[in-house]
Amino acid sequence: MGDLTRLSAAALAERLAAGDVSSVEVTRAHLDRIAAVDPAVHAFLHVDAEGALATAADVDARRAAGEDLHPLAGVPIAIKDVVVTRGMPTTAGSRILEGWVPPYDATLVERIRAARLPILGKTNMDEFAMGSSTEHSAFGDTHNPWDLDRIPGGSGGGSAAAVAAYEAPLAIGTDTGGSIRQPAAVTGTVGVKPTYGGVSRYGLIAMASSLDQAGPVSRTVLDAALLHALVGGHDPRDSTSLPDPLPDVVGAARRGATGDLTGVRLGVVRELGGEGYQQGVRRRFEESLEVLQAAGAEVVEVSCPHFEYALAAYYLIMPSEASSNLARFDGMRYGLRVEPADGPVTAERVMAATRGAGFGDEVKRRVILGTYALSAGYYDAYYGSAQKVRTLVQRDFAAAFEQADVLVSPTAPTTAFRLGEKLDDPMAMYLNDVATIPANLAGVPGISVPNGLDEGLPVGFQVLAPAKADDRLYRVAAALEARLEERWGGPLLAQAPELEVTR
Amino acid sequence: MSTISREEVARLAGLARIDLTESELTRLAGELDVIVEAVATVSRVATDDVPATSHPLPLHNVFRPDVVTATLPVEEALAAAPAAEDGRFAVPQILEED
Amino acid sequence: MTTEATPLVDYDDAVRRYDPVLGIEVHVELGTASKMFDGAPTEFGAPPNTQTTPVSLGLPGSLPVVNEKAVEWAVLIGLALNCEIAESCRFARKNYFYPDLPKAYQISQYDEPIAHDGWVDVELEDGTTVRVEIERAHMEEDAGKNTHVGGAAGRIHGAEYSLVDYNRAGVPLVEIVTKPITGVGARAPEVARAYVQTLRDMFRALGVSEARMERGNVRADVNVSLRPSPDAPLGTRTETKNVNSFRSVERAVRFEISRQAGVLDSGAAVVQETRHWHEDTGITTPGRVKSDAEDYRYFPEPDLVPIVPDRAWVEGLRASLPEMPAARRRRLQAAWGYSDAEMRDVVNAGALDLVEATVAAGASPAAARKWWMGELARTANEQGASLEELPVTPAQVAELQGLVDAGRLNDKLARQVLAGVLAGEGSPQEVVAARGLEIVSDDGALLAAVDEALAAQPDVVEKIRGGNLGPVGAIIGAVMKATRGQADAARVRELVLERVKG
């Protein structure tokens, strides 16, 4: 039967449907893998073996009874801890929510449960999704399976590492400025940020409401499409949810896998590359362009002059919204409550003591920055101006998409850096997201797909498409994946060093 | 040139209701200064003729009908409360009335 | 609680030397079935925290969705206030920390209210009309309720802890803000009261709220400032929060005028601050001094999208606006021919709808008023009930009056019939039939009684024969007594005279 954890979700789904394996076997294999490698990787904050196996057993029983099941029924999944799960602890990587068990499910979790995917557990992340390395989790670092001394990216380092380490075939991530795509790039996995409004935000613990978007994390482009199709689509509980039907992302992934991109115009964004990008990252990008051209794609250069200001605008809008979204963690209704060390115990002082003790450094930094940006007298100069930059970034995208069907760039400027390397330099940490942030500001979809190694560490290739044209991402990424795997003789992850197994 | 003083950070921390230690105040003042200077570049291109965008995609008039839906059972509403009494959330004394 | 040293200035003296300027913010809770941004019910008086969802508790991850009915009603209020309805408007977040505010921000409207620049005419008791200019009407959500435990009951100071009920959190509110109300001089307190009353009546007429003051459905914040003369620039204002009865609005304004005049007379400056109204003592005391805490860091609510009211829809709502209470009162008064005092009594007794329905059912306006303001008002008063609560319908009152008008009942009988109706014995006709209360004008029956009475008092007969008609009344009285009041008194008189003279 081989190692079930090495199979893609699509392959597992096929074997489950054919009756070759049971969901209990598949789920148990992944739980065993978690037990074996997670002490070293620390991708999970919470593992729900019992719940996952119960769902798996239920799926097996239903399948045996001949029930019509969702194609992914029985395929296990991991969920980033920023997504609320009824009856399962949800902390968003923060001390302030330690032990909180939500009384409701996020819409995407409802859909996952309805399709009967066993939920393995909740994955580690930077506290409230603030960070690019998962080092800002209150519950310890996650380690990159390619090199345990290195970061798995962030904020969704847990989901990416879990998938890369074969602890789960599928995971859910969230992406506010790159938190799905950048971890995918540095762990050699696939991550998709759908069009804003394409996947319901109901039940996502908000960082920046106008930027946050949940999406799939997987090892293959087709798996990402299958999960995207499951969790995406309109939700009346999210006012910003798109009413449009989801494009056929699965069909696009299958079509792309034929390796033919004849007639597709790729726009290389001049501003997302060059200086500041590691040499090996640039080299892999150039090679990928050649591969795509060989597949029939046409390459044009486009310019997005205002992307230069995107990072600055992002670091005003995101903290501003976050300062407001995180205000509810005040120790009154749920989560941590800390009384001041001395002086009267009043609601005001308990709130401040709770937030002082419950939030980590990066959260404090961003909340204070956001408070400053929204504060009387600064609003126009900061938040107001940032919203204007957003308009300019959108215009740049609109102009670029007149010349090209999709835009392409490296996903991240560097490969995985060492744990602790950038922890004391917030600006250096923020620069990790320079290529991913424009998509969040404009609401357009993006994917990161592995495109090689640089000094033994994975590099990611980013594809961006116009809003609501998520299918284009899948077609181009699947074509690149197919052609590169042909060249490599298998998936990039096969080149990763074997993790030591703890028993 | 410093734009965010230690005192300013203390004022913001008060607004954001976060107790900061002395060393945190000092460190944050320095860090925020760097960040604020970097992000101030937005004002270079944010001219009067550019409209602001607050939503990435232009939707409007999204409503729900005035229909009552299921409520949380009170024990679930209170389950995570640090303190509760008589079906209500217990909170420390409130000194200032809004 | 601080008491301020400056003495109050006599009210009349204060308004002789200072010109008061008002600004009033009225919050009305809309009577929608569900909350502003989620499906939790809004029923008043439910057990604590039984009317919440993840959204109204502000749980992490929850998101708001706008209640369509609340928007419609906010537009209706805007139209009734002669406002312009925004082409497009947005919600904003007002950020502040308070235990009753689940998300630590209130979703409100800031620079883009749904309605703006309107006016409403306010009628004072003596019939004077004052036009109050409206700055804006905007939508927002209510907060939960704190109950303070320990220390002085119900007061914030001295409480040891508080208990919070979030049932009210998220109930839709519309806040209506006036422009500065100037030129009303000594009548400022009366204008303030009449304005709030006018809005209350309007909310009821529109059917957007039960508008019950005692339940806090309508709450007023009153801004008062003084200036030396109407030509002087506006003075520093204070805002007295949560003044929740008509009478309190009037008293609070009056108190602030006296207090501020005292401050100004002493040479000091009025402090711009929030003040609290104390119903028991009739004074205001300072609350928090406006400071950093007032930096609400408003920004557009990213979880909601703009509202762009369709113009045809707005015009449809405008066409559907019911007649406003003041206009209706004027129309009905003219139609019924009531004096100002009569009309005021009817309105104050809450009898307007009842009288209107009684008239519509065929009674004359005078008779309708007589019943509702007389016998029925007395009964209601005795029973401690409102007129609406009495078990009698306007149609029954009209039917009763019809029997009087047809000569089948006299006043006394009609009151007895009414008592029967109130006792649940049926319609007036049914009571008349069951109790046999109809006036007896049948000569045969009456003559027997007349003869009996005359026979019993021969001396009286003599007097009448002698031309002294005075004692006729005594005979009529005896006949009435014998017929238990059911005799037609006029006919009895005729019969007595016929018999004596014949």
Side-chain angles (χ1 to χ4, degrees):
Chain A
M1 187 161 58
D3 186 351
L4 292 173
T5 64
R6 304 281 157 150
L7 297 177
S8 70
L12 285 171
E14 249 172 63
R15 295 196 184 192
L16 285 166
D20 296 346
V21 290
S22 70
S23 177
V24 167
E25 286 170 307
V26 171
T27 303
R28 187 160 284 143
H30 285 93
L31 290 168
D32 288 348
R33 176 74 181 170
I34 292 170
V37 302
D38 212 52
V41 177
H42 191 43
F44 283 86
L45 291 179
H46 175 80
V47 176
D48 182 21
E50 201 181 317
L53 287 169
T55 303
D58 179 54
V59 168
D60 290 340
R62 286 169 189 274
R63 202 183 301 277
E67 200 172 303
D68 210 10
L69 295 167
H70 187 277
L72 289 177
V75 178
I77 189 169
I79 295 177
K80 189 178 180 183
D81 204 31
V82 77
V83 181
V84 304
T85 42
R86 181 181 171 86
M88 200 186 292
T90 301
T91 67
S94 182
R95 200 61 78 190
I96 211 162
L97 267 184
E98 194 169 5
W100 183 55
V101 180
Y104 79 107
D105 272 332
T107 296
L108 73 85
V109 173
E110 273 184 2
R111 292 182 183 182
I112 286 168
R113 290 198 206 270
R116 305 185 198 286
L117 280 71
I119 298 174
L120 296 168
K122 306 296 289 289
T123 58
N124 198 10
M125 54 184 285
D126 286 297
E127 183 176 5
F128 289 110
M130 296 182 182
S132 308
S133 68
T134 314
E135 292 167 292
H136 293 301
S137 168
F139 307 109
D141 297 339
T142 294
H143 301 262
N144 192 323
W146 288 79
D147 177 348
L148 294 174
D149 291 333
R150 292 180 185 268
I151 59 110
S155 63
S159 283
V163 169
Y166 305 103
E167 296 174 79
L170 296 172
I172 289 292
T174 61
D175 189 315
T176 305
S179 289
I180 289 176
R181 291 163 288 161
Q182 182 258 6
V186 301
T187 57
T189 56
V190 176
V192 178
K193 182 202 93 74
T195 298
Y196 183 82
V199 176
S200 172
R201 289 188 299 114
Y202 189 78
L204 271 53
I205 300 180
M207 168 162 62
S209 312
S210 74
L211 302 164
D212 295 345
Q213 188 58 206
V217 175
S218 62
R219 288 190 295 268
T220 72
V221 174
L222 177 61
D223 282 3
L226 291 168
L227 182 52
H228 190 156
L230 168 60
V231 297
H234 182 67
D235 177 15
R237 285 180 296 192
D238 174 359
S239 304
T240 60
S241 169
L242 290 173
D244 316 58
L246 207 66
D248 180 13
V249 291
V250 174
R254 293 195 199 280
R255 186 170 166 213
T258 61
D260 178 21
L261 289 180
T262 306
V264 176
R265 296 171 303 163
L266 309 179
V268 175
V269 184
R270 189 186 302 152
E271 289 77 10
L272 300 181
E275 210 188 324
Y277 287 74
Q278 199 172 300
Q279 202 181 29
V281 169
R282 277 149 67 181
R283 211 166 283 149
R284 292 298 88 75
F285 180 68
E286 295 302 329
E287 288 164 12
S288 296
L289 285 182
E290 285 164 24
V291 168
L292 291 166
Q293 274 173 310
E298 182 192 331
V299 173
V300 295
E301 194 187 59
V302 297
S303 175
C304 295
H306 298 99
F307 281 16
E308 181 188 343
Y309 302 96
L311 187 74
Y314 177 78
Y315 274 94
L316 288 169
I317 293 167
M318 177 273 296
S320 297
E321 294 183 9
S323 72
S324 176
N325 282 329
L326 268 58
R328 72 188 66 195
F329 302 103
D330 60 6
M332 296 296 113
R333 290 160 297 280
Y334 43 77
L336 186 71
R337 176 182 288 181
V338 174
E339 296 194 352
D342 44 42
V345 180
T346 65
E348 293 76 5
R349 301 187 75 242
V350 168
M351 287 179 181
T354 299
R355 293 162 63 77
F359 287 151
D361 288 345
E362 183 62 20
V363 172
K364 288 178 185 171
R365 190 151 45 226
R366 295 196 194 188
V367 169
I368 300 280
L369 179 62
T371 304
Y372 174 74
L374 291 177
S375 187
Y378 301 112
Y379 179 89
D380 286 339
Y382 291 128
Y383 192 77
S385 296
Q387 298 284 41
K388 290 182 173 192
V389 170
R390 200 165 184 166
T391 307
L392 296 171
V393 168
Q394 284 191 334
R395 288 178 184 170
D396 281 0
F397 268 116
F401 284 126
E402 303 233 316
Q403 297 168 261
D405 300 309
V406 295
L407 305 182
V408 295
S409 77
T411 307
T414 68
T415 50
F417 46 91
R418 288 186 185 284
L419 286 160
E421 191 179 320
K422 297 185 180 179
L423 204 48
D424 295 326
D425 186 352
M427 274 315 294
M429 190 72 96
Y430 295 170
L431 281 168
N432 286 303
D433 296 331
V434 70
T436 45
I437 278 171
N440 298 84
L441 288 175
V444 304
I447 189 170
S448 179
V449 60
N451 70 332
L453 300 177
D454 181 32
E455 297 183 7
L457 293 170
V459 178
F461 183 87
Q462 176 175 242
V463 185
L464 303 173
K468 307 181 196 179
D470 305 47
D471 49 340
R472 293 189 199 172
L473 306 176
Y474 287 98
R475 183 174 170 207
V476 174
L480 180 63
E481 178 186 57
R483 295 219 164 216
L484 286 174
E485 290 192 355
E486 207 177 287
R487 184 181 287 195
W488 301 328
L492 187 69
L493 269 171
Q495 302 177 40
E498 277 300 323
L499 287 166
E500 210 172 299
V501 167
T502 5
R503 277 288 174 203
Chain B
M1 191 201 71
S2 180
T3 48
I4 299 199
S5 66
R6 218 169 154 280
E7 290 66 39
E8 178 75 345
V9 176
R11 181 188 77 89
L12 295 169
L15 260 182
R17 286 270 203 283
I18 301 179
D19 279 350
L20 294 178
T21 63
E22 292 302 310
S23 63
E24 279 180 318
L25 280 177
T26 308
R27 185 167 48 75
L28 276 172
E31 287 170 353
L32 290 177
D33 212 42
V34 173
I35 297 167
V36 165
E37 236 165 87
V39 300
T41 57
V42 293
S43 52
R44 262 191 253 154
V45 283
T47 47
D48 287 345
D49 55 326
V50 181
T53 296
S54 53
H55 287 90
L57 295 169
L59 293 177
H60 61 84
N61 290 351
V62 175
F63 301 120
R64 43 170 276 273
D66 181 28
V67 172
V68 170
T69 57
T71 54
L72 281 177
V74 65
E75 51 285 2
E76 284 193 22
L78 292 170
E85 191 178 307
D86 295 339
R88 287 172 289 180
F89 293 82
V91 304
Q93 60 175 326
I94 303 165
L95 279 192
E96 294 170 341
E97 200 168 10
D98 177 63
Chain C
M1 213 168 293
T2 44
T3 37
E4 291 134 304
T6 339
L8 300 180
V9 170
D10 169 70
Y11 180 77
D12 294 329
D13 183 28
V15 292
R16 246 193 314 277
R17 294 186 291 113
Y18 295 101
D19 179 45
V21 176
L22 299 175
I24 304 173
E25 291 160 27
V26 167
H27 289 85
V28 57
E29 278 184 350
L30 300 182
T32 50
S34 66
K35 291 184 178 178
M36 186 73 216
F37 300 115
D38 70 294
T42 57
E43 198 187 309
F44 181 84
N49 295 305
T50 56
Q51 311 213 335
T52 70
T53 67
V55 179
S56 38
L57 278 183
L59 292 187
S62 63
L63 294 173
V65 184
V66 176
N67 183 334
E68 185 163 32
K69 180 65 84 182
V71 175
E72 179 183 324
W73 286 358
V75 170
L76 267 183
I77 289 172
L79 290 170
L81 291 169
N82 303 290
C83 285
E84 285 177 40
I85 304 304
E87 297 283 332
S88 171
C89 68
R90 281 191 297 188
F91 284 98
R93 290 188 187 176
K94 180 181 183 179
N95 295 286
Y96 66 97
F97 289 89
Y98 203 70
D100 66 9
L101 193 63
K103 302 182 291 298
Y105 57 81
Q106 179 192 34
I107 304 178
S108 180
Q109 294 192 289
Y110 179 52
D111 51 353
E112 298 181 31
I114 192 155
H116 57 93
D117 294 297
W119 52 265
V120 61
D121 281 338
V122 172
E123 229 172 279
L124 305 184
E125 287 223 350
D126 68 354
T128 315
T129 296
V130 174
R131 176 159 293 189
V132 174
E133 306 274 341
I134 304 297
E135 168 99 28
R136 57 188 281 157
H138 71 252
M139 298 177 280
E140 59 187 30
E141 56 177 337
D142 211 341
K145 253 186 180 152
N146 300 315
T147 308
H148 307 289
V149 181
R155 296 246 182 93
I156 290 204
H157 299 271
E160 279 161 20
Y161 61 103
S162 295
L163 295 175
V164 193
D165 169 13
Y166 293 102
N167 280 352
R168 199 180 65 180
V171 168
L173 293 177
V174 171
E175 177 176 342
I176 297 155
V177 183
T178 66
K179 292 180 180 169
I181 304 169
T182 60
V184 291
R187 304 193 74 171
E190 191 188 344
V191 169
R193 174 196 178 120
Y195 169 71
V196 178
Q197 215 155 1
T198 301
L199 290 197
R200 194 275 312 258
D201 293 349
M202 192 191 86
F203 300 143
R204 289 187 175 175
L206 292 173
V208 299
S209 173
E210 283 187 56
R212 293 173 68 161
M213 303 293 287
E214 76 281 7
R215 286 188 174 180
N217 292 155
V218 180
R219 313 195 280 268
D221 301 339
V222 189
N223 291 272
V224 177
S225 68
L226 297 184
R227 54 183 174 178
S229 78
D231 312 318
L234 294 180
T236 305
R237 66 188 166 82
T238 59
E239 180 177 21
T240 304
K241 289 265 192 194
N242 288 324
V243 193
N244 296 340
S245 75
F246 300 135
R247 188 162 162 265
S248 301
V249 168
E250 186 163 357
R251 289 168 75 206
V253 171
R254 203 179 163 90
F255 177 83
E256 268 303 288
I257 290 174
S258 289
R259 188 190 68 82
Q260 290 186 18
V263 172
L264 294 172
D265 279 1
S266 76
V270 171
V271 180
Q272 178 166 346
E273 64 189 354
T274 296
R275 297 184 67 87
H276 302 304
W277 168 248
H278 302 274
E279 187 69 48
D280 46 353
T281 50
I283 65 166
T284 67
T285 57
R288 191 176 56 201
V289 177
K290 302 220 170 191
S291 65
D292 254 4
E294 299 296 313
D295 188 346
Y296 290 124
R297 291 159 283 134
Y298 283 100
F299 73 104
E301 165 58 285
D303 287 331
L304 295 171
V305 299
I307 294 174
V308 182
D310 177 75
R311 297 336 277 180
W313 176 70
V314 170
E315 289 317 308
L317 287 177
R318 193 193 304 279
S320 78
L321 276 181
E323 184 182 27
M324 284 303 108
R328 174 170 170 239
R329 283 199 298 273
R330 279 193 294 276
R331 174 175 60 79
L332 291 177
Q333 188 182 347
W336 295 344
Y338 289 0
S339 69
D340 288 350
E342 286 168 343
M343 192 67 189
R344 192 161 56 237
D345 288 348
V346 168
V347 169
N348 291 344
L352 196 63
D353 291 347
L354 297 167
V355 171
E356 187 183 28
T358 308
V359 171
S364 73
R369 189 179 67 79
K370 185 196 74 181
W371 284 115
W372 287 107
M373 300 306 292
E375 191 66 13
L376 287 166
R378 202 158 35 247
T379 308
N381 194 35
E382 278 164 19
Q383 299 182 358
S386 71
L387 287 173
E388 286 103 341
E389 286 162 352
L390 292 179
V392 58
T393 64
Q396 288 170 333
V397 174
E399 183 186 330
L400 181 70
Q401 182 59 34
L403 293 172
V404 175
D405 292 343
R408 293 175 58 193
L409 292 176
N410 58 26
D411 278 359
K412 188 176 170 203
L413 286 173
R415 280 198 294 278
Q416 289 176 31
V417 172
L418 184 57
V421 173
L422 290 168
E425 293 168 22
S427 71
Q429 293 275 20
E430 287 162 355
V431 175
V432 166
R435 290 198 184 183
L437 287 176
E438 199 155 2
I439 285 178
V440 181
S441 49
D442 169 61
D443 283 3
L446 288 179
L447 272 174
V450 167
D451 288 345
E452 202 175 306
L454 290 174
Q457 302 185 61
D459 51 328
V460 172
V461 176
E462 284 311 310
K463 281 181 188 164
I464 295 169
R465 284 208 176 112
N468 181 0
L469 294 184
V472 171
I475 299 298
I476 295 171
V479 172
M480 293 305 276
K481 193 174 177 187
T483 59
R484 288 173 305 150
Q486 281 171 260
D488 179 341
R491 185 62 191 147
V492 172
R493 183 182 181 86
E494 284 169 18
L495 291 175
V496 170
L497 293 178
E498 267 173 38
R499 273 295 202 248
V500 172
K501 285 174 182 166

